Amino acid sequence: MKRVVCSIVAFTLITGILLLYFSQTVAADILGHTYINAPEDNKKIENPFSELDSFTKELPTVKEPQKKVDEKSKLTLGQLRKKYKSTFVTNGPNVKRIALTFDDVPDPRFTPQILDVLKEYGVKATFFVNGQRVLNHPKLAKRIHDEGHVIGNHSFTHPDFNKISMSAFKSEIKKTEQAILPITGYIPKTIRPPYGEITEEQLIWAAEHKYRIVNWNVDSLDWKGLNKEQVLTNILSNTRPGAIVLQHGGGGHGSKLQGTIDALPEVIKALKNQGYELVTVPELLGIEKSK
């Protein structure tokens, strides 16, 4: 049997505690069994590290603290409008003018019917287009332009700007401009973010590049598939001087916008009877339609 004297020392990195166990004679026989000559009773120990193993298993796991986004430092849309009021608007000045706007166009299911009504009543509106839809329906996009309406940028694929990177945001704007330019001959100055959502970094970029971010202060809620009377109530009960009205001229699969189409003649007549002039967004804000 071969004998060797050794000292066993363990240091736990987790707790920072130095553990001194023993300095005893350790022996191994020809069969490979390990023994320790303990001074108190010379008891055979099959695994001299069992107590250390048991101890370390019971130690708590130390996790790296996770970095959290400071939501308190993120400004609300209302705060962003106040901070960037020359770039980010929801309404025009307090005058007897109102701008009707239509999002998510062109859409062959609904946009032609809306254009027919506007033409019948001699009203010019603002259409916020999706670049992908412009590429899919260029003739319908051209009709919007040819009939005297203003075209604004509503992104290329309709993402939530809060959930995409800055480079992706810029791409959404630029790709839509590339789709619009051959049809209109101009790059729109106005941008309407999908869902009305935008970040401060995106607003700063928009301001630096002379865009105007345009949301709304009257929401028809027509995207919910409301009927004519519901759309009428939502618009007429909330309109005021300088209002920007949100409606939709297109939507996703299964969208139902017949309520908007049916209500539009009544909306136009009611607002005109109240003395309002119906104008485009650039006319309301006193800005150019192009950059």
Side-chain angles (χ1 to χ4, degrees):
M1 178 181 293
K2 185 178 180 180
R3 296 175 179 271
V4 60
V5 178
C6 66
S7 295
I8 301 176
V9 179
F11 179 76
T12 68
L13 294 176
I14 297 176
T15 63
I17 300 173
L18 183 64
L19 303 175
L20 298 175
Y21 271 77
F22 46 78
S23 178
Q24 300 293 340
T25 301
V26 179
D29 60 18
I30 58 175
L31 296 178
H33 295 109
T34 303
Y35 302 88
I36 293 179
N37 292 330
E40 62 273 19
D41 56 5
N42 290 324
K43 183 179 179 181
K44 177 180 176 181
I45 302 176
E46 292 293 340
N47 179 8
F49 303 104
S50 60
E51 292 184 8
L52 179 60
D53 291 341
S54 176
F55 175 75
T56 55
K57 286 178 181 177
E58 294 176 0
L59 289 174
T61 302
V62 179
K63 295 181 178 180
E64 287 291 327
Q66 294 182 348
K67 294 182 179 179
K68 295 182 179 180
V69 177
D70 186 4
E71 292 294 332
K72 292 183 180 179
S73 66
K74 182 179 178 181
L75 300 181
T76 65
L77 284 176
Q79 292 170 327
L80 288 173
R81 286 196 298 271
K82 289 181 180 179
K83 188 173 181 179
Y84 301 96
K85 57 185 178 181
S86 62
T87 299
F88 190 14
V89 300
T90 58
N91 58 277
N94 186 24
V95 295
K96 291 286 283 188
R97 305 176 102 189
I98 287 178
L100 299 181
T101 68
F102 299 89
D103 285 8
D104 301 339
V105 295
D107 187 328
R109 297 171 296 172
F110 312 111
T111 308
Q113 299 175 73
I114 290 171
L115 289 171
D116 290 344
V117 173
L118 294 173
K119 186 175 183 179
E120 180 180 353
Y121 288 90
V123 173
K124 298 295 184 287
T126 304
F127 288 79
F128 287 97
V129 305
N130 297 120
Q132 185 64 68
R133 293 188 174 209
V134 171
L135 295 181
N136 292 340
H137 310 290
K139 291 183 179 180
L140 188 51
K142 187 175 185 301
R143 180 185 169 186
I144 295 172
H145 171 67
D146 288 348
E147 294 186 4
H149 305 290
V150 169
I151 287 180
N153 192 322
H154 195 43
S155 81
F156 195 77
T157 61
H158 205 276
D160 183 338
F161 284 170
N162 271 326
K163 299 179 180 179
I164 62 175
S165 67
M166 193 62 194
S167 60
F169 163 74
K170 294 177 184 178
S171 177
E172 288 284 329
I173 301 304
K174 294 300 181 182
K175 287 173 69 176
T176 302
E177 290 176 349
Q178 292 170 5
I180 293 171
L181 184 59
I183 293 172
T184 63
Y186 67 85
I187 293 176
K189 186 177 184 66
T190 56
I191 296 172
R192 173 167 286 169
Y195 315 105
E197 298 290 343
I198 194 166
T199 70
E200 185 168 14
E201 185 181 10
Q202 292 162 357
L203 267 174
I204 292 172
W205 179 86
E208 290 174 347
H209 291 81
K210 312 301 181 184
Y211 291 101
R212 189 67 63 91
I213 306 300
V214 179
N215 274 2
W216 59 89
N217 64 342
V218 178
D219 192 345
S220 68
L221 297 176
D222 57 354
W223 58 271
K224 293 184 175 182
L226 304 183
N227 61 36
K228 171 185 174 180
E229 294 304 322
Q230 291 171 316
V231 173
L232 271 173
T233 298
N234 288 341
I235 294 176
L236 298 181
S237 63
N238 292 291
T239 49
R240 66 207 72 169
I244 296 177
V245 181
L246 170 63
Q247 296 168 275
H248 289 79
H253 179 73
S255 291
K256 298 178 180 179
L257 296 175
Q258 193 59 44
T260 281
I261 296 167
D262 293 341
L264 188 54
E266 301 300 322
V267 168
I268 292 171
K269 288 186 288 186
L271 292 177
K272 284 186 173 182
N273 288 338
Q274 294 174 31
Y276 285 105
E277 180 186 5
L278 301 180
V279 297
T280 66
V281 166
E283 288 174 326
L284 179 65
L285 300 180
I287 62 175
E288 294 295 324
K289 65 182 179 180
S290 61
K291 282 191 63 184

